[in-house]
């Protein structure tokens, strides 16, 4: 583009003599003359649009530029090439980074200019625009415009404001649909709905309604209610209201079709008035089922209202054809009297979709249970297993255990489509299905669907390797990520142990590939870059493979694979030529989430060295704090926008640097967030605003837009949440005045309300509070909310039951299945006595769910363990699926009780090892139980046994660790490197690691990444001996595990080269052992400083002069420069 500008400029100079002889404005066509005048008066956007309109009906002749230049010369408007360049940059920033100004300019356009703008932005099919010799890349231009949230909001608002008056309604609807695709949830606020045209008929109304239906899940509850109101208003105008009275409804079949999902906002009284002919016509419509399948947020009351009208309209509600038309209404079917088994099975078949409902799952499962009882009348479970749909998920372990293998085998086509299984259920059904098969093969495994996760590790390992290869590449591969690490390791061990190791490893697909050990990769040859495009890699694998492949491949070929970017070292980045680096940077930017903070820091320094003027602003965050000083004036908005599109956690700045970044952002915004445009600009950065800023510097207008982005934040502090709560109370008033929609929109932030305020909401909207609590996390983060939910669901005398478990439980409130399902995490509020009084059937049916409750204390867990013993019998009789279903309840088992369990299966051990909180003696008992029951010793353990043991390996003593076979340890070392064992255990694992990778002195970056926490077992001499350039390749968790007295042995140079992420993991205890020089080095690492500080500072100071110096003629922009810029601006890359 620069070459084009220079060419144009030279042509202008050549034509200068001709220009001065042609000064008459009459030589210019009227529209072009108007455009030139608009340039002179500063209306640049108007001028651009007039030029575009002019050339749409006029040929751009060769002398046109000459005539324009002559007119400018006659007006004594002078220009220089530098002012031309400056005006281009200035206007560009206006366009992208000042959307409010753009909105103002759009509002001042005349009707023809507005039509031209809409045409070229939304309806032009041209890839390029030609203006004489100037060629504009229009596709790329529009793409960049639509990537700017602020500009998109401007286009949305101006379309609402002017489009329906200037263009056809159908064209405007199409434009709105394009703009809303970017961010419907932020743009479609309730107050904006008032700006929608209230007279919109025919296809335009239907099309716009269809747009809103597609965006339903992307809008807030208040916006959904407002859109329903807008649709209702127009629909009502289609009818003569005088023809209706209080007993009839304006709702017709067509209205229901148009409303789509918005039909759930109809009041119950309106539903009950819908004409029977209209409801009959609606249900008869072919697409009615599809529409009713999407009403995920319908309530039981509204669903039953529709069912009542459908029933009254003459449909046979027990006819299979009718049942299939009901969509999600079937989830609330309530006519159970004298129902026959065939109808019950038809209903169950349809109810497989009910798990998509936004709530009411307890009610759904209660209905399924009732239908299951009816379906089984005069039949056995074996007989009808294949016709029960996903109601089988509600069967207890004992019911599933009673099934015959033949029944499970015959019903597999149904069972493999069901979701929602617990691990114990999957184990039972898989064992029964496979017991009918003499040999485990690709064919019979491929029939199992999700049940494939119930195949034991040993069974996988016993299969033919070729059959296993087919399984991991076939249709069953979608379930492989759900396999336990032990199962995955068992499959890999068998495949890689086969004769043709080389080809088998190459064929291992996707996420499965990352389980291959680093030594396993070393055995392979023939890797190429294209092979890596479908693999998922650990960082240790990527480091090895990138280094290997970089010897015969260009960086672009390796980086374009995606995952291989994890293996790029600073040395690789530094060795790239300037052009290569700039041309491949897009691959780093696209895969920022795959890069470590250290790699990002290296990229930033490289970019600064190669092209500091064009460095992406977000990279300044990972450079030392002083580099933020360069962000000022016109660089402010691009800096914030760049950060807003990037996850701050990926950049991983230290707390000190993060505060400096936020301070700079506040300075850039003059200390406040004024409106929705500022919220758009902030993007992800909004999650990091300090509490004080939220308190005093965010307007209520901005808060209304910011609510949704705040709900997406993953790590808001308690102080941030508290300030958000006060803002919400200021915005919406006190909770006693909230509507159901407001409560839904505020969502998880209700957990910060007082107990009294929560009680008010629970009384008004019990189902909504229940729905919010399900997604609000653990007790510690939402104790008051969960307590309120518990009291709402389980409180009152209605829950008091006379239990048969003993006289101690008479008159005691005991948990029911419905309550347990509804309460989820709030089950933690049952007393120990109440849990003891739970019915045996209730426990058996819900033990898996109870095992997931994180808030149970030790006394509650003991009560549940005792209940398990009461229900399942003595411990030696417990099956593997019993133990697995316990979840956290297993933590209450004593060492003696653990000894009584049958722990022969590594799959059972694998599940137990995933629980956190085992004592060392419990872990030791589990280890001994597994060895004794499986008939193994430490020396006979295979790699999948080691992986399955997981954290239990931390209970090994030094002798046992050294008896592990090297080959098996080698295959499992990456998994072992995830464990947080004691220092003595890590030291023994380190010794084993040396038997695989050689002495510590010979380890490289990929080895350090592979062994993870095991590096925490290095001694003082070994740690001191590491090259400083290897320090960033320690895994961050390993840094934290190095004892302080060992950590202090690191030299200042080693500490300075830790990298930002590793430096941030240094503990307080480790810091306390460091001297002044080491602490200074640690701060350098935290800041992302380079070791060559003098050179860096020189470069920085030079660039500061370049970036901050403003040309003296900056305010006086040449008229011609701006005009020509208006013609070519959108062609420039930015």
């Amino acid at each position: 583009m620069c070459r084009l500008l220079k060419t144009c400029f030279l042509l202008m100079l050549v034509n200068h003599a001709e220009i001065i002889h042609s000064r008459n404005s009459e030589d210019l066509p009227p529209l072009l003359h108007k455009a030139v005048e608009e340039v002179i008066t500063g209306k640049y956007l108007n001028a651009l649009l007039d030029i575009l309109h002019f050339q749409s009906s006029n040929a751009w002749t060769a002398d046109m530029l000459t005539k324009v230049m002559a007119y400018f010369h006659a007006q004594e408007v002078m220009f220089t090439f530098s002012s031309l360049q400056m005006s281009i940059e200035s206007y560009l920033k206006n366009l992208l980074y000042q959307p409010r100004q753009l909105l103002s300019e759009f509002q001042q356009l005349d009707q023809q200019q507005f039509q031209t703008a809409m045409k070229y932005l939304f309806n032009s099919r041209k890839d390029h625009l030609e203006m004489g010799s100037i060629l504009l890349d229009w596709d790329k231009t529009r793409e960049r415009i639509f990537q700017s949230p602020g500009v998109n909001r401007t286009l949305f608002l101006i379309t609402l404001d002017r489009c329906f008056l200037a263009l056809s309604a159908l064209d405007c609807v199409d434009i709105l649909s394009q703009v809303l695709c970017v961010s419907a949830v932020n743009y479609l606020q309730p107050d904006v709905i008032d700006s929608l045209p209230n007279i919109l008929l025919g296809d335009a109304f239907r099309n716009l309604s269809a747009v809103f239906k597609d965006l339903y899940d992307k809008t807030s509850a208040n916006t959904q209610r407002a859109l329903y109101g807008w649709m209702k208003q127009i629909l009502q105008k289609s009818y003569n209201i005088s023809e209706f009275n209080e007993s009839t409804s304006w709702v017709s079949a067509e209205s229901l079709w148009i409303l789509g999902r918005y039909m759930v906002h109809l009041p119950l009284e309106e539903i009950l008035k819908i004409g029977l002919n209209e409801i009959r016509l609606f249900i008869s419509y072919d697409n009615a089922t599809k529409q009713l399948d999407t009403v995920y947020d319908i309530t039981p009351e509204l669903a039953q209202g529709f069912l009542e009208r459908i029933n009254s309209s003459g449909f046979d509600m027990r006819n299979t054809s009718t049942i299939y038309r009901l969509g999600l209404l079937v989830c609330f079917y309530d006519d159970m009297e004298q129902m026959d088994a065939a109808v019950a099975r038809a209903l169950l078949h349809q109810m497989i979709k009910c798990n998509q409902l936004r709530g009411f799952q307890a009610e759904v499962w209660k209905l399924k249970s009732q239908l299951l009882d009816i379906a089984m009348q005069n039949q056995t479970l074996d007989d009808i297993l294949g016709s029960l749909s996903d109601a089988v998920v509600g069967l207890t372990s004992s019911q599933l255990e009673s099934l015959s293998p033949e029944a499970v085998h015959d019903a597999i086509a149904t069972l493999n489509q069901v979701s929602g299984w617990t691990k114990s259920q999957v184990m039972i059904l898989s064992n029964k299905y496979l017991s009918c098969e003499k040999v485990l093969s690709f064919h019979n495994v491929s029939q199992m669907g999700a049940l494939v996760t119930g195949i034991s590790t040993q069974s996988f390992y016993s299969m033919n390797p070729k059959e296993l290869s087919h399984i991991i590449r076939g249709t069953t591969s979608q379930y492989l990520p759900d396999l336990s690490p032990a199962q995955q390791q068992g499959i890999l061990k068998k495949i890689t142990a086969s004769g043709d190791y080389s080809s088998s490893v190459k064929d291992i697909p996707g996420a499965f590939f990352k389980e291959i050990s680093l030594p396993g990769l070393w055995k392979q040859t023939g890797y190429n870059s294209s092979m890596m495009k479908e693999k998922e890699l650990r960082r240790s694998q990527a480091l090895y493979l990138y280094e290997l492949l970089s010897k015969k491949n260009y960086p672009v070929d390796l980086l374009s694979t995606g995952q291989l970017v994890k293996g790029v070292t600073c040395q690789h980045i530094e060795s790239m030529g300037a052009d290569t680096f700039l041309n491949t940077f897009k691959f780093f930017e696209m895969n920022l989430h795959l890069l470590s903070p250290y790699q990002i820091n290296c990229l930033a320094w490289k970019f600064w060295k190669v092209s500091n003027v064009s460095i992406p602003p977000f990279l300044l965050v990972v450079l030392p704090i002083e580099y933020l000083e360069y962000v000022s004036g016109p660089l402010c908005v691009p800096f914030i926008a760049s950060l807003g599109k990037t996850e701050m956690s990926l950049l991983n700045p230290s707390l000190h640097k993060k505060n400096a970044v936020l301070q700079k952002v506040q300075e850039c915004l003059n200390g406040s967030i004024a409106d929705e445009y500022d919220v758009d600009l902030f993007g992800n950065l909004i999650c990091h605003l300090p509490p004080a800023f939220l308190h005093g510097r965010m307007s209520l207008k901005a808060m209304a837009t910011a609510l949704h982005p705040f709900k997406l934040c993953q790590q808001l502090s308690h102080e941030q949440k508290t300030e958000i709560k006060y803002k919400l109370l200021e915005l919406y008033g006190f909770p006693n005045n909230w509507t159901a929609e407001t409560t839904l929109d505020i969502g998880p932030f209700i957990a910060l309300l007082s107990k009294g305020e929560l009680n008010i909401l629970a009384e008004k909207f019990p189902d909504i509070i229940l729905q919010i609590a399900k997604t609000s996390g653990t007790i510690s983060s939402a104790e008051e909310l969960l307590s309120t939910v518990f009291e709402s669901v389980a409180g009152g005398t209605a829950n008091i039951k006379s239990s048969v478990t003993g006289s101690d439980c008479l008159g005691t409130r005991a948990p029911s299945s419905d309550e347990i399902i509804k309460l989820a995490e709030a089950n933690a509020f049952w007393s120990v006595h109440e849990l003891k009084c739970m019915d045996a059937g209730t426990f058996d049916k819900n033990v898996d769910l109870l095992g997931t409750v994180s808030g149970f204390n030790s006394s509650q867990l003991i009560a549940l363990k005792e209940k398990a013993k009461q229900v399942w019998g003595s411990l030696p009789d417990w099956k593997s699926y019993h133990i697995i279903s316990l979840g956290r309840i297993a933590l209450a088992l004593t060492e003696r009780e653990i000894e009584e369990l049958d722990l022969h299966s590594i799959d059972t051990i694998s599940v137990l090892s995933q629980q956190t909180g085992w004592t060392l003696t419990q872990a030791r008992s589990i280890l001994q139980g597994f060895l004794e029951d499986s008939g193994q010793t430490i020396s006979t353990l295979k790699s999948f046994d080691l992986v399955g043991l997981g954290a239990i390996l931390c209970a090994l003593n030094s002798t046992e660790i050294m008896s592990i076979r090297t080959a098996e340890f080698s295959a499992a070392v990456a998994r072992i490197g995830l464990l947080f064992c004691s220092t003595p255990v890590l030291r023994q694992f380190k010794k084993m690691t040396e038997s695989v990778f050689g002495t510590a002195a010979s380890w490289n970056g990929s080895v350090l990444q592979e062994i993870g926490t095991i590096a925490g077992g290095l001694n003082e001499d070994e740690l001191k001996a590491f090259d400083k350039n290897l320090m960033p390749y320690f895994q961050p968790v390993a840094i934290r595990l190095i004892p302080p007295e060992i950590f202090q042995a690191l030299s200042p140079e080693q500490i300075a080269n830790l990298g930002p992420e590793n430096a941030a993991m240094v503990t307080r205890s480790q810091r306390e052992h460091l001297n002044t020089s080491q602490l200074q080095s640690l701060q350098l690492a935290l800041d992302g400083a380079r070791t060559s500080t003098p050179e860096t500072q020189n470069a920085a100071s030079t660039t500061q002069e370049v970036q901050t110096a403003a040309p003296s003629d900056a305010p006086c922009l040449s008229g011609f420069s701006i005009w020509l810029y208006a013609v070519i601006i959108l062609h420039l890359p930015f």
Side-chain angles (χ1 to χ4, degrees):
M1 189 60 214
C2 289
R3 188 180 298 130
L4 174 60
L5 289 175
K6 291 175 182 177
T7 302
C8 291
F9 185 57
L10 289 172
L11 287 172
M12 287 182 277
L13 291 178
V14 170
N15 288 326
H16 183 69
E18 183 179 346
I19 289 169
I20 60 175
H21 295 295
S22 179
R23 303 185 177 188
N24 195 335
S25 66
E26 294 177 2
D27 290 344
L28 292 175
L31 189 57
L32 198 53
H33 176 257
K34 177 172 175 276
V36 172
E37 288 291 341
E38 286 166 334
V39 168
I40 294 173
T41 57
K43 297 181 178 180
Y44 313 130
L45 179 61
N46 305 58
L48 170 62
L49 294 170
D50 280 337
I51 292 168
L52 289 173
H53 183 60
F54 169 79
Q55 77 157 28
S56 66
S57 55
N58 296 272
W60 190 273
T61 60
D63 65 340
M64 202 70 71
L65 182 61
T66 302
K67 293 179 179 179
V68 170
M69 289 292 294
Y71 186 77
F72 275 121
H73 193 272
Q75 301 299 316
E76 298 184 353
V77 177
M78 306 304 293
F79 64 87
T80 66
F81 185 67
S82 60
S83 64
L84 169 64
Q85 296 285 67
M86 282 183 55
S87 62
I88 289 174
E89 293 173 8
S90 174
Y91 195 87
L92 183 59
K93 288 169 185 173
N94 245 0
L95 182 68
L96 288 182
Y97 298 126
Q98 296 186 29
R100 298 180 189 86
Q101 179 64 30
L102 183 62
L103 177 62
S104 175
E105 291 194 24
F106 261 115
Q107 289 168 336
Q108 296 173 39
L109 299 178
D110 63 35
Q111 183 144 319
Q112 184 59 66
Q113 290 166 339
F114 180 81
Q115 290 172 348
T116 302
M118 294 295 103
K119 170 187 173 183
Y120 279 93
L121 280 170
F122 298 103
N123 295 326
S124 174
R125 295 184 179 179
K126 295 183 178 180
D127 295 335
H128 296 81
L129 296 180
E130 295 182 20
M131 297 184 181
S133 61
I134 299 175
L135 190 66
L136 308 183
D137 187 341
W138 189 237
D139 258 2
K140 197 168 286 187
T141 297
R142 280 186 298 196
E143 180 184 343
R144 287 163 179 160
I145 288 174
F146 293 145
Q147 284 175 352
S148 168
V151 173
N152 267 293
R153 183 178 291 278
T154 287
L155 294 176
F156 171 68
L157 293 175
I158 202 64
T159 300
L160 281 184
D161 184 39
R162 297 195 57 180
C163 187
F164 288 94
L165 300 175
L167 302 177
S168 76
L170 281 172
D171 286 341
C172 293
V173 168
D174 181 58
I175 290 170
L176 279 175
S177 69
Q178 293 182 56
V179 178
L180 286 173
C181 283
V182 177
S183 185
V185 69
N186 286 335
Y187 301 162
L188 278 178
Q189 295 292 324
D191 59 324
V192 172
I193 309 304
D194 295 335
S195 303
L196 291 172
N198 54 19
I199 301 177
L200 198 61
L201 303 175
D203 289 341
F205 173 62
R206 291 188 186 87
N207 291 355
L208 188 53
S209 298
V211 170
F212 292 146
K213 283 187 282 188
D214 290 341
L215 298 172
Y216 189 92
D217 288 323
K218 297 180 180 178
T219 53
S220 68
N222 271 307
T223 297
Q224 291 166 4
R225 171 65 71 174
L227 286 170
Y228 161 77
W230 172 78
M231 295 165 77
K232 170 187 170 183
Q233 180 184 20
I234 294 181
L235 286 169
Q236 283 182 325
K237 288 179 180 178
S238 304
Y239 301 94
N240 186 348
I241 301 298
S242 62
E243 294 180 5
F244 298 95
N245 53 48
E246 292 184 1
S247 63
T248 59
S249 173
W250 57 270
V251 180
S252 65
E254 184 181 21
S255 299
L256 289 171
W257 298 331
I258 291 174
L259 284 171
R261 292 183 62 182
Y262 291 90
M263 66 188 286
V264 302
H265 294 279
L266 285 165
L268 178 60
E269 54 271 21
E270 195 70 56
I271 293 170
L272 296 176
K273 292 192 299 183
I274 298 175
L276 297 182
N277 287 336
E278 299 297 335
I279 203 75
R280 187 185 304 113
L281 183 60
F282 171 69
I283 293 298
S284 300
Y285 180 51
D286 288 342
N287 280 344
T289 303
K290 182 178 178 182
Q291 179 170 323
L292 291 173
D293 277 344
T294 63
V295 288
Y296 310 121
D297 50 348
I298 197 166
T299 63
E301 294 76 20
L302 296 183
Q304 285 163 7
F306 278 114
L307 289 171
E308 188 277 328
R309 293 312 281 168
I310 295 168
N311 184 35
S312 299
S313 69
F315 281 97
D316 179 0
M317 300 298 284
R318 297 193 175 183
N319 181 282
T320 303
S321 175
T322 302
I323 290 172
Y324 286 173
R325 287 181 173 273
L326 295 178
L328 290 177
L329 300 182
V330 76
C331 307
F332 305 98
Y333 195 97
D334 61 351
D335 182 14
M336 312 291 285
E337 289 186 18
Q338 298 182 334
M339 180 182 292
D340 63 38
V343 175
R345 289 195 292 273
L347 285 166
L348 286 172
H349 180 74
Q350 286 300 100
M351 290 184 73
I352 195 168
K353 62 186 75 169
C354 295
N355 59 2
Q356 299 176 74
L357 288 172
R358 296 286 159 78
F360 313 107
Q361 290 302 315
E363 290 83 353
V364 168
W365 279 109
K366 184 176 182 180
L367 175 57
K368 286 183 179 180
S369 180
Q370 293 171 336
L371 292 171
L372 188 59
D373 291 339
I374 296 172
M376 291 178 60
Q377 288 175 357
N378 303 319
Q379 297 187 77
T380 66
L381 195 53
D382 278 357
D383 294 334
I384 63 165
L385 183 62
S387 61
L388 297 181
S389 190
D390 72 337
V392 291
V393 173
L395 297 174
T396 64
S397 297
S398 55
Q399 286 175 306
L400 292 177
E401 188 63 55
S402 71
L403 292 168
S404 70
E406 292 76 20
V408 174
H409 193 275
D410 293 342
I412 196 67
T414 298
L415 300 176
N416 66 15
Q417 298 178 45
V418 173
S419 60
W421 297 111
T422 65
K423 181 71 176 175
S424 57
Q425 289 175 317
V426 169
M427 180 177 286
I428 294 170
L429 291 171
S430 295
N431 287 338
K432 287 189 175 292
Y433 171 75
L434 295 175
S435 66
C436 290
E437 303 291 343
K438 293 181 179 179
V439 179
L440 204 55
S441 67
F442 166 69
H443 173 72
N444 49 43
V445 170
S446 65
Q447 307 298 310
M448 297 177 69
L451 297 180
V452 72
T453 59
I455 300 175
S456 72
T457 299
Q458 189 61 50
S459 296
F460 277 128
Y461 185 66
S462 301
M463 285 185 67
N464 180 291
K466 289 188 177 180
E467 297 287 323
L468 279 175
S469 295
H470 290 312
I471 288 172
I472 65 175
R473 294 198 306 271
T475 55
T476 312
S477 62
Q478 63 181 302
Y479 304 106
L480 296 182
D482 298 325
L483 296 178
S484 71
Q487 288 171 310
Q488 294 182 21
Q489 182 62 219
I491 292 172
L492 274 179
K493 181 172 177 60
K494 190 55 175 279
I495 291 176
T496 55
S498 63
D500 189 6
Y501 178 80
S502 179
S503 62
S504 63
V505 171
K506 290 178 184 177
D507 290 338
I508 292 174
F512 224 66
F513 191 86
K514 74 177 188 297
E515 295 298 325
I516 300 174
S517 68
L518 188 58
L521 289 183
W522 292 349
K523 298 176 186 177
Q524 164 80 346
T525 58
Y527 293 112
N528 59 64
S529 58
S530 61
M531 184 191 302
M532 295 297 116
K533 290 183 177 179
E534 298 176 358
K535 312 291 188 189
E536 187 175 332
L537 304 176
R538 294 195 315 279
R539 197 168 298 282
S540 59
Q541 295 172 316
L543 283 164
Y544 167 69
L545 290 169
Y546 191 96
E547 180 64 29
L548 179 71
L549 295 172
S550 64
K551 297 171 183 176
K552 295 184 179 180
N553 293 269
Y554 292 110
V556 66
D557 297 323
L558 301 181
L559 298 176
S560 62
T561 65
Q563 288 279 321
L564 276 177
V565 299
K566 294 178 181 178
V568 180
T569 65
C570 273
Q571 287 78 9
H572 292 137
I573 294 170
E574 196 59 39
S575 66
M576 289 183 186
D579 290 342
T580 299
F581 175 77
L582 294 174
N583 290 334
T584 57
F585 181 76
K586 62 182 178 183
F587 296 113
F588 290 115
E589 199 165 19
M590 283 168 20
N591 295 292
L592 205 62
H593 62 289
L594 299 178
L595 299 175
S596 69
Y598 178 66
Q599 287 175 302
I600 297 174
N601 181 254
C602 295
L603 287 172
W605 281 117
K606 179 67 174 182
F607 219 123
W608 187 265
K609 177 181 177 182
V610 168
S611 180
N612 48 38
V613 176
S614 63
I615 186 171
F618 74 86
L619 287 180
L620 293 173
V621 173
V622 302
L623 296 177
I625 289 174
E626 54 266 27
Y627 283 77
L628 292 174
E629 297 173 8
Y630 309 147
V631 178
S632 61
L635 291 178
C636 262
V637 176
F639 174 68
I640 299 174
S642 181
L643 277 181
K645 294 177 181 178
T646 309
E647 288 290 347
M648 183 82 84
S649 59
L650 299 177
L651 306 178
N652 197 37
S654 64
L655 180 61
H656 177 55
K657 187 186 290 186
K658 180 178 176 181
N659 290 336
V661 170
L662 293 174
Q663 182 60 42
K664 173 60 65 175
V665 167
Q666 293 174 51
E667 291 173 10
C668 282
L669 282 180
N670 296 320
S672 68
I673 298 183
D675 57 19
E676 62 271 31
Y677 278 109
D678 287 340
V679 175
D680 291 340
L681 178 64
F682 259 71
N684 297 322
L685 199 57
I686 203 161
C687 300
H688 303 279
L689 292 175
F693 189 82
L694 294 173
H695 175 75
R697 304 300 180 88
M698 175 175 272
S699 73
L700 291 183
K701 186 177 184 182
M703 185 64 211
T705 304
L707 175 56
H708 178 72
F710 275 135
K711 286 163 70 175
L712 299 178
C713 297
Q714 298 295 314
Q715 295 180 320
L716 289 173
S717 68
H718 178 74
E719 292 74 20
Q720 284 176 304
K721 291 178 181 177
T722 300
E723 293 302 336
I724 291 170
K725 178 191 77 170
Y726 288 132
K727 279 292 179 186
L728 292 173
L729 290 174
E730 193 178 350
L731 181 64
Y732 294 113
F734 291 106
N736 55 315
N737 295 322
W738 290 359
T739 63
E741 289 77 22
T742 296
T743 307
L744 274 171
D745 286 343
I746 290 176
F749 293 115
I750 69 167
L752 298 162
L753 297 173
S754 69
K755 189 65 185 298
E757 291 168 328
L758 285 168
N759 286 336
I760 291 171
L761 291 177
E763 187 174 343
K764 289 175 66 177
F765 314 116
D767 295 323
I768 292 175
I769 299 304
L770 201 60
Q771 180 182 333
I772 293 172
K774 289 262 189 181
T775 58
S776 288
T778 60
I779 290 284
S780 60
S781 62
E783 184 171 357
E784 294 286 1
L785 173 60
L786 294 175
S787 171
T788 302
V789 166
F790 179 80
E791 292 168 7
S792 174
V793 172
T797 57
N799 293 304
I800 293 178
K801 306 167 186 68
S802 178
S803 175
V804 296
T805 55
S807 58
D808 288 347
C809 290
L810 290 176
T812 298
R813 174 183 63 177
S816 68
S817 286
D818 286 354
E819 290 166 340
I820 291 170
I821 294 171
K822 286 182 179 179
L823 290 172
E825 190 64 30
N827 278 296
F829 289 92
W830 293 109
S831 70
V832 170
H833 188 59
E834 288 165 340
L835 292 173
K836 286 181 178 178
C837 293
M838 189 189 313
D839 177 77
T842 301
F843 176 83
D844 197 26
K845 192 171 186 177
N846 298 284
V847 61
D848 289 275
L849 194 158
L850 292 169
T852 65
V853 177
S854 63
F856 281 137
N857 60 36
S858 58
S859 298
Q860 291 169 308
L861 293 175
I862 290 171
L864 290 168
K865 176 198 69 176
E866 293 301 322
K867 177 62 64 176
K869 291 162 71 174
Q870 176 189 331
V871 174
W872 296 334
S874 61
L875 294 170
D877 295 332
W878 286 11
K879 307 290 187 185
S880 289
Y881 62 79
H882 286 132
I883 301 170
I884 284 174
S885 65
L886 285 174
R888 289 192 69 246
I889 301 170
L891 295 173
L893 292 165
T894 65
E895 291 80 12
R896 186 175 296 276
E897 287 171 330
I898 291 170
E899 291 171 6
E900 294 185 55
L901 296 173
D902 177 3
L903 298 178
H904 77 280
S905 170
I906 190 58
D907 299 294
T908 305
I909 303 300
S910 180
V911 173
L912 291 176
S913 71
Q914 291 169 26
Q915 295 298 333
T916 57
W918 294 111
T919 65
L920 185 59
T921 52
Q922 282 177 311
R924 189 73 197 173
S925 293
I926 293 171
L927 175 65
Q928 291 297 339
F930 170 64
L931 292 174
E932 291 172 11
D933 294 342
S934 65
Q936 297 196 77
T937 63
I938 299 295
S939 62
T940 64
L941 293 178
K942 297 181 176 63
S943 60
F944 55 78
D945 293 320
L946 296 174
V947 169
L949 281 163
I952 306 300
L953 289 173
C954 293
L956 291 169
N957 60 42
S958 58
T959 303
E960 290 169 331
I961 291 174
M962 297 312 293
S963 67
I964 298 172
R965 283 183 291 178
T966 302
E968 306 303 327
F969 181 85
S970 169
V973 67
R975 283 285 176 181
I976 296 172
L978 299 175
L979 305 179
F980 293 86
C981 299
S982 65
T983 301
V985 172
L986 291 178
R987 284 174 179 162
Q988 292 303 314
F989 280 140
K990 188 268 300 181
K991 290 180 181 178
M992 279 298 301
T993 302
E994 288 183 310
S995 68
V996 177
F997 297 110
T999 60
S1002 66
W1003 295 351
N1004 58 22
S1006 60
V1007 172
L1008 282 171
Q1009 279 290 311
E1010 180 83 351
I1011 67 174
T1013 58
I1014 297 174
L1018 291 163
N1019 64 38
E1020 184 174 331
D1021 292 334
E1022 291 166 336
L1023 199 58
K1024 283 195 299 185
F1026 274 101
D1027 186 283
K1028 65 179 183 178
N1029 291 320
L1030 286 176
M1031 300 311 295
Y1033 299 102
F1034 280 82
Q1035 282 197 25
V1037 288
I1039 297 294
R1040 186 175 289 272
L1041 292 177
I1042 299 173
E1045 63 276 12
I1046 304 294
F1047 188 79
Q1048 68 179 350
L1050 290 170
S1051 69
E1053 290 76 17
Q1054 286 175 308
I1055 293 175
N1057 280 274
L1058 279 172
E1061 188 175 22
N1062 284 347
M1065 295 299 285
V1066 174
T1067 66
R1068 176 180 295 182
S1069 178
Q1070 289 169 329
R1071 280 174 176 267
E1072 290 171 353
H1073 282 70
L1074 300 180
N1075 60 37
T1076 303
S1077 177
Q1078 289 172 313
L1079 288 172
Q1080 289 173 344
S1081 293
L1082 182 62
Q1083 191 58 51
L1084 288 175
L1086 286 168
D1087 285 346
R1090 298 185 84 170
T1091 51
S1092 53
T1093 307
E1095 179 184 342
T1096 301
Q1097 292 303 318
N1098 290 338
S1101 60
T1102 303
T1103 308
Q1104 181 180 17
E1105 184 178 348
V1106 171
Q1107 288 196 333
T1108 58
S1112 58
D1113 61 343
C1116 307
L1117 301 179
S1118 159
F1120 173 78
S1121 299
I1122 296 172
W1123 172 80
L1124 186 57
Y1125 168 71
V1127 176
I1128 66 173
I1129 174 178
L1130 297 174
H1131 182 45
L1132 290 176
F1134 49 86

